[in-house]
Amino acid sequence: MTLTNETLKLAKISGLDYASTTDYMTTAIRGFKMEMSEAATVVDVYSALAANTAVSQEELAVAMSKTASSMESVGSTFQETSAMIGTMVAVTRESATNIGSALKSIAARYGELTKSTDELATDADGQVVSFNKVDTALQSIGISMKTTDGQFRDFTDVIIELTNNLEQAINSNEE
């Protein structure tokens, strides 16, 4: 009943039809292995982001439908993923489908790298991903994919650090 009520609420505020909203809610909840009773979280997060950024609930839901399970598999939470989607859509004005697909690919590749660093990994699209190439590129801007004890860092932490480094580089170039 909670899921039904929250789905109706999201449909009303987003302007989406009920069938599409049901699919989007189910994808987000199942993708992040949330309980159906947590449906209000989806509505609250989407509404807060829509109210504070240049992104709609529909854009969030569409992008999330493309990337939920991939992002969950690398340890990103629903809230973190929603914030990434909101920021990416608001800044780039790229389509929600493209943003969701891009995050899905990034997460899939990161996930493959964390499974095996001794050999070349292959992502979900069959592309070869070399840990050394990715790590070298990130190291060149001061970001490490691993902790000092050799464990992979949290995906979201790496993305946030990458974002911060890029912002600093942009700001220093503007000065």
Side-chain angles (χ1 to χ4, degrees), residues 69-81:
S69 61
S70 294
M71 293 297 284
E72 190 279 334
S73 73
V74 294
S76 187
T77 67
F78 171 75
Q79 292 85 342
E80 291 166 339
T81 303

Side-chain angles (χ1 to χ4, degrees), residues 84-103:
M84 286 182 214
I85 291 169
T87 301
M88 293 170 76
V89 171
V91 170
T92 67
R93 293 314 306 156
E94 191 67 39
S95 77
T97 299
N98 288 350
I99 296 294
S101 295
L103 268 178

